[in-house]
PDB file of all heavy atoms in Angstrom:
ATOM      1  N   ILE Q 391     183.612   7.264-122.708  1.00  0.00           N
ATOM      2  CA  ILE Q 391     184.124   7.411-121.335  1.00  0.00           C
ATOM      3  C   ILE Q 391     183.001   7.771-120.356  1.00  0.00           C
ATOM      4  O   ILE Q 391     182.873   7.155-119.296  1.00  0.00           O
ATOM      5  CB  ILE Q 391     185.197   8.533-121.283  1.00  0.00           C
ATOM      6  CG1 ILE Q 391     186.402   8.174-122.142  1.00  0.00           C
ATOM      7  CG2 ILE Q 391     185.582   8.849-119.842  1.00  0.00           C
ATOM      8  CD1 ILE Q 391     187.431   7.329-121.486  1.00  0.00           C
ATOM      9  N   MET Q 392     182.195   8.756-120.715  1.00  0.00           N
ATOM     10  CA  MET Q 392     181.235   9.293-119.743  1.00  0.00           C
ATOM     11  C   MET Q 392     180.173   8.270-119.321  1.00  0.00           C
ATOM     12  O   MET Q 392     179.868   8.157-118.133  1.00  0.00           O
ATOM     13  CB  MET Q 392     180.593  10.580-120.277  1.00  0.00           C
ATOM     14  CG  MET Q 392     181.544  11.751-120.241  1.00  0.00           C
ATOM     15  SD  MET Q 392     182.090  12.074-118.552  1.00  0.00           S
ATOM     16  CE  MET Q 392     183.544  13.045-118.819  1.00  0.00           C
ATOM     17  N   PRO Q 393     179.578   7.488-120.256  1.00  0.00           N
ATOM     18  CA  PRO Q 393     178.630   6.460-119.796  1.00  0.00           C
ATOM     19  C   PRO Q 393     179.275   5.432-118.859  1.00  0.00           C
ATOM     20  O   PRO Q 393     178.662   5.001-117.880  1.00  0.00           O
ATOM     21  CB  PRO Q 393     178.162   5.812-121.102  1.00  0.00           C
ATOM     22  CG  PRO Q 393     178.353   6.861-122.139  1.00  0.00           C
ATOM     23  CD  PRO Q 393     179.574   7.619-121.725  1.00  0.00           C
ATOM     24  N   VAL Q 394     180.532   5.068-119.168  1.00  0.00           N
ATOM     25  CA  VAL Q 394     181.219   4.100-118.293  1.00  0.00           C
ATOM     26  C   VAL Q 394     181.413   4.715-116.902  1.00  0.00           C
ATOM     27  O   VAL Q 394     181.207   4.054-115.876  1.00  0.00           O
ATOM     28  CB  VAL Q 394     182.579   3.674-118.908  1.00  0.00           C
ATOM     29  CG1 VAL Q 394     183.373   2.820-117.927  1.00  0.00           C
ATOM     30  CG2 VAL Q 394     182.358   2.908-120.207  1.00  0.00           C
ATOM     31  N   ILE Q 395     181.779   6.004-116.877  1.00  0.00           N
ATOM     32  CA  ILE Q 395     181.954   6.678-115.578  1.00  0.00           C
ATOM     33  C   ILE Q 395     180.622   6.691-114.815  1.00  0.00           C
ATOM     34  O   ILE Q 395     180.596   6.526-113.591  1.00  0.00           O
ATOM     35  CB  ILE Q 395     182.468   8.129-115.787  1.00  0.00           C
ATOM     36  CG1 ILE Q 395     183.849   8.126-116.434  1.00  0.00           C
ATOM     37  CG2 ILE Q 395     182.516   8.904-114.464  1.00  0.00           C
ATOM     38  CD1 ILE Q 395     184.955   7.548-115.606  1.00  0.00           C
ATOM     39  N   PHE Q 396     179.517   6.858-115.530  1.00  0.00           N
ATOM     40  CA  PHE Q 396     178.222   6.879-114.827  1.00  0.00           C
ATOM     41  C   PHE Q 396     177.932   5.518-114.172  1.00  0.00           C
ATOM     42  O   PHE Q 396     177.436   5.463-113.043  1.00  0.00           O
ATOM     43  CB  PHE Q 396     177.080   7.262-115.771  1.00  0.00           C
ATOM     44  CG  PHE Q 396     175.758   7.258-115.062  1.00  0.00           C
ATOM     45  CD1 PHE Q 396     175.490   8.197-114.068  1.00  0.00           C
ATOM     46  CD2 PHE Q 396     174.805   6.293-115.328  1.00  0.00           C
ATOM     47  CE1 PHE Q 396     174.290   8.171-113.366  1.00  0.00           C
ATOM     48  CE2 PHE Q 396     173.609   6.260-114.628  1.00  0.00           C
ATOM     49  CZ  PHE Q 396     173.346   7.211-113.653  1.00  0.00           C
ATOM     50  N   VAL Q 397     178.260   4.449-114.872  1.00  0.00           N
ATOM     51  CA  VAL Q 397     178.062   3.116-114.268  1.00  0.00           C
ATOM     52  C   VAL Q 397     178.928   3.002-113.005  1.00  0.00           C
ATOM     53  O   VAL Q 397     178.470   2.518-111.955  1.00  0.00           O
ATOM     54  CB  VAL Q 397     178.414   1.998-115.284  1.00  0.00           C
ATOM     55  CG1 VAL Q 397     178.358   0.633-114.616  1.00  0.00           C
ATOM     56  CG2 VAL Q 397     177.459   2.041-116.468  1.00  0.00           C
ATOM     57  N   LEU Q 398     180.174   3.497-113.086  1.00  0.00           N
ATOM     58  CA  LEU Q 398     181.061   3.464-111.913  1.00  0.00           C
ATOM     59  C   LEU Q 398     180.492   4.330-110.783  1.00  0.00           C
ATOM     60  O   LEU Q 398     180.608   3.973-109.602  1.00  0.00           O
ATOM     61  CB  LEU Q 398     182.463   3.960-112.293  1.00  0.00           C
ATOM     62  CG  LEU Q 398     183.270   3.043-113.211  1.00  0.00           C
ATOM     63  CD1 LEU Q 398     184.577   3.709-113.613  1.00  0.00           C
ATOM     64  CD2 LEU Q 398     183.554   1.707-112.542  1.00  0.00           C
ATOM     65  N   CYS Q 399     179.891   5.459-111.140  1.00  0.00           N
ATOM     66  CA  CYS Q 399     179.282   6.329-110.115  1.00  0.00           C
ATOM     67  C   CYS Q 399     178.155   5.591-109.395  1.00  0.00           C
ATOM     68  O   CYS Q 399     178.008   5.697-108.173  1.00  0.00           O
ATOM     69  CB  CYS Q 399     178.717   7.603-110.756  1.00  0.00           C
ATOM     70  SG  CYS Q 399     179.975   8.759-111.289  1.00  0.00           S
ATOM     71  N   THR Q 400     177.354   4.865-110.160  1.00  0.00           N
ATOM     72  CA  THR Q 400     176.239   4.122-109.565  1.00  0.00           C
ATOM     73  C   THR Q 400     176.764   3.070-108.584  1.00  0.00           C
ATOM     74  O   THR Q 400     176.277   2.949-107.453  1.00  0.00           O
ATOM     75  CB  THR Q 400     175.401   3.448-110.676  1.00  0.00           C
ATOM     76  OG1 THR Q 400     175.086   4.425-111.647  1.00  0.00           O
ATOM     77  CG2 THR Q 400     174.133   2.842-110.136  1.00  0.00           C
ATOM     78  N   VAL Q 401     177.784   2.330-109.032  1.00  0.00           N
ATOM     79  CA  VAL Q 401     178.382   1.315-108.151  1.00  0.00           C
ATOM     80  C   VAL Q 401     179.014   2.001-106.941  1.00  0.00           C
ATOM     81  O   VAL Q 401     178.848   1.560-105.799  1.00  0.00           O
ATOM     82  CB  VAL Q 401     179.454   0.501-108.913  1.00  0.00           C
ATOM     83  CG1 VAL Q 401     180.114  -0.498-107.980  1.00  0.00           C
ATOM     84  CG2 VAL Q 401     178.846  -0.223-110.093  1.00  0.00           C
ATOM     85  N   GLY Q 402     179.716   3.104-107.201  1.00  0.00           N
ATOM     86  CA  GLY Q 402     180.413   3.816-106.127  1.00  0.00           C
ATOM     87  C   GLY Q 402     179.464   4.322-105.060  1.00  0.00           C
ATOM     88  O   GLY Q 402     179.761   4.237-103.868  1.00  0.00           O
ATOM     89  N   ALA Q 403     178.315   4.845-105.494  1.00  0.00           N
ATOM     90  CA  ALA Q 403     177.353   5.356-104.516  1.00  0.00           C
ATOM     91  C   ALA Q 403     176.780   4.219-103.681  1.00  0.00           C
ATOM     92  O   ALA Q 403     176.555   4.362-102.474  1.00  0.00           O
ATOM     93  CB  ALA Q 403     176.223   6.085-105.241  1.00  0.00           C
ATOM     94  N   PHE Q 404     176.565   3.074-104.300  1.00  0.00           N
ATOM     95  CA  PHE Q 404     175.931   1.942-103.620  1.00  0.00           C
ATOM     96  C   PHE Q 404     176.883   1.216-102.677  1.00  0.00           C
ATOM     97  O   PHE Q 404     176.498   0.793-101.585  1.00  0.00           O
ATOM     98  CB  PHE Q 404     175.413   0.958-104.683  1.00  0.00           C
ATOM     99  CG  PHE Q 404     174.843  -0.315-104.135  1.00  0.00           C
ATOM    100  CD1 PHE Q 404     173.525  -0.381-103.692  1.00  0.00           C
ATOM    101  CD2 PHE Q 404     175.624  -1.466-104.062  1.00  0.00           C
ATOM    102  CE1 PHE Q 404     173.005  -1.558-103.192  1.00  0.00           C
ATOM    103  CE2 PHE Q 404     175.114  -2.643-103.555  1.00  0.00           C
ATOM    104  CZ  PHE Q 404     173.797  -2.701-103.116  1.00  0.00           C
TER     105      PHE Q 404
END
Side-chain angles (χ1 to χ4, degrees):
Chain Q
I391 297 275
M392 286 300 161
V394 173
I395 296 294
F396 179 67
V397 174
L398 291 175
C399 287
T400 309
V401 177
F404 175 84

